[in-house]
Amino acid sequence: AEYGDPKRLTMSLSRFCQISFRPTSFSSRFYSHSKVLSYRTFHHKTRSSSSYARAFFSHLKSSPRSSTSKTLIVGATTVLVSTLLLSSIITADQASDSKKADWAKIREEIVDLLDNDEYDDGSYGPVLIRLAWHASGTYIKESSVGGSNGATMRFSPESLHSANAGLHHARDLLEKIKQRHPEISYSDLWTFAAVVAVKELGGPDVPWRPGRIDASDASKSQDGLLPDASKAHDHVREIFYRMGFTDREIVALIGAHAVGRCHVDRSGYSGPWTRSPTVFSNDYFEQLLNNEWKPKKWDGPLQYEDPSGELMMLPGDLALKNDPKFRKYVEMYAKDEALYFKDFAAAFSKLLELGVPF
């Protein structure tokens, strides 16, 4: 472990168990367990091996005490601690490999995938931004759980959460790049792709750095952590305050609705917020303030439309216009796109780094 060599640690654990615990049948059972632990740690299955070690240690504690069992408990403790230590070594290696990747080349590959006349309005950019947003927006500041670190949307149930409907398009698109660059983490790739998309759609440079680590499952995922577009300002604040954002940052982040559109088969809503859904701008704020928004007459959920019927806003969008504290930032960004770009870049960078142990 001291040398950061998983293979040497695994061999040492196996040899320790073989020498110390061969004499009794109980020891033999422990030795077989140790080999399973060795296999799992050596093949980087650290989450399952840690759980396995804890469960077996619990079994040992309930066994009859004897000099042999006491020795076994010492052995089990050694395996458990070593397994957890190995987990730290492996995750550190993954972060290091991702940092060493050729991110300039990866940027070029992402750019090459963005334009596609057969997808939505001709660009995958908006859905890549949404992927990173939803992967990051699960953060809980009080417990430091969630966030982009882990890329847990690769697994169910998170991939099946209603808020993430349609994001398989973005994940599948980026999988091509991941296969060419196995050294990078999914969580770094997803967040970096969003940063590239913002810039390519005409937006600001968003500060970004690699070092995220992928999780092995979505056991810590929780549903209901992302904003519900059908709710008003109190809900908006509850969601964003939970992550540690201010009112100004909230308005800046929601301004990303300048790009993309809603789909009936994903969110239940329909239509774009602006007339240029593949151009990152402050037009969202201008439309929100200057247009007249009336409830749309249709069989779907409540949404609002402009007089032309071509643009839409959601209840959560109008919350920014109707709440005085939010509105002052809406007005500020509608007048000054450069200021909006500056604030968005800072807020989005913060979002992408929530919960990441750099």
Side-chain angles (χ1 to χ4, degrees):
E2 183 178 350
Y3 287 98
D5 188 333
K7 185 174 181 180
R8 288 177 64 183
L9 176 58
T10 300
M11 292 175 63
S12 298
L13 282 171
S14 294
R15 185 60 179 160
F16 170 77
C17 296
Q18 183 180 20
I19 294 173
S20 303
F21 309 132
R22 190 183 303 173
T24 67
S25 60
F26 188 66
S27 301
S28 298
R29 290 202 305 275
F30 177 75
Y31 179 46
S32 66
H33 280 284
S34 72
K35 289 194 293 184
V36 174
L37 282 170
S38 298
Y39 172 81
R40 292 185 178 185
T41 53
F42 183 65
H43 289 277
H44 294 198
K45 299 179 180 180
T46 54
R47 182 182 296 275
S48 61
S49 59
S50 298
S51 300
Y52 196 87
R54 290 190 184 94
F56 186 57
F57 184 53
S58 178
H59 169 71
L60 285 177
K61 288 173 66 177
S62 64
S63 301
R65 293 292 193 272
S66 67
S67 58
T68 301
S69 66
K70 290 178 181 178
T71 304
L72 289 173
I73 290 174
V74 173
T77 305
T78 303
V79 173
L80 174 58
V81 172
S82 300
T83 300
L84 295 176
L85 182 57
L86 178 57
S87 174
S88 299
I89 294 170
I90 292 170
T91 53
D93 286 346
Q94 184 188 47
S96 177
D97 289 344
S98 197
K99 290 177 180 178
K100 295 176 182 176
D102 186 348
W103 288 102
K105 178 176 177 54
I106 295 171
R107 172 184 282 273
E108 293 176 358
E109 294 179 15
I110 293 171
V111 171
D112 289 341
L113 292 176
L114 289 181
D115 293 338
N116 188 321
D117 292 336
E118 297 181 1
Y119 183 78
D120 265 8
D121 298 290
S123 174
Y124 279 107
V127 76
L128 293 182
I129 296 171
R130 180 170 170 248
L131 172 63
W133 211 120
H134 284 220
S136 305
T138 58
Y139 184 67
I140 302 174
K141 183 178 180 180
E142 290 185 358
S143 59
S144 297
V145 173
S148 65
N149 204 50
T152 51
M153 202 193 302
R154 291 173 292 138
F155 311 104
S156 62
E158 187 174 343
S159 61
L160 304 177
H161 290 170
S162 59
N164 295 329
L167 288 178
H168 64 280
H169 293 289
R171 297 195 300 269
D172 293 347
L173 183 73
L174 295 177
E175 184 64 29
K176 303 171 186 177
I177 296 177
K178 181 65 169 72
Q179 294 305 313
R180 290 196 291 269
H181 301 275
E183 73 278 8
I184 66 177
S185 64
Y186 281 98
S187 41
D188 272 344
L189 176 59
W190 292 359
T191 52
F192 184 64
V195 168
V196 173
V198 168
K199 183 62 177 178
E200 291 300 311
L201 295 177
D205 290 306
V206 177
W208 180 89
R209 51 180 170 164
R212 294 163 186 80
I213 300 165
D214 291 336
S216 60
D217 59 45
S219 59
K220 294 184 179 180
S221 297
Q222 299 181 44
D223 201 358
L225 296 177
L226 294 168
D228 184 338
S230 69
K231 296 184 179 180
H233 57 276
D234 288 342
H235 168 77
V236 174
R237 282 197 173 88
E238 178 185 353
I239 293 294
F240 283 88
Y241 283 5
R242 186 204 71 223
M243 293 186 278
F245 288 108
T246 64
D247 283 358
R248 182 169 183 154
E249 291 171 325
I250 292 171
V251 176
L253 288 171
I254 295 178
H257 282 170
V259 296
R261 63 169 57 237
C262 288
H263 305 75
V264 174
D265 61 339
R266 301 180 192 179
S267 63
Y269 300 105
S270 178
W273 289 268
T274 70
R275 299 188 188 283
S276 52
T278 60
V279 177
F280 199 97
S281 68
N282 69 335
D283 191 37
Y284 166 79
F285 300 111
E286 294 180 0
Q287 296 293 344
L288 184 59
L289 284 178
N290 301 327
N291 246 326
E292 182 180 356
W293 300 100
K294 294 184 178 180
K296 180 177 181 177
K297 296 179 180 180
W298 73 320
D299 294 332
L302 175 64
Q303 68 178 66
Y304 298 83
E305 62 182 4
D306 74 333
S308 73
E310 297 176 356
L311 302 182
M312 68 94 208
M313 289 286 167
L314 305 175
D317 296 308
L318 290 186
L320 303 186
K321 179 179 181 179
N322 297 331
D323 181 88
K325 293 181 180 179
F326 282 147
R327 184 184 177 105
K328 67 179 182 180
Y329 297 115
V330 173
E331 294 174 345
M332 185 186 304
Y333 294 146
K335 295 176 182 177
D336 192 337
E337 186 176 71
L339 176 63
Y340 169 57
F341 277 18
K342 174 178 175 291
D343 285 359
F344 175 81
F348 196 51
S349 178
K350 176 180 174 179
L351 173 68
L352 299 182
E353 293 196 353
L354 293 177
V356 183
F358 288 117

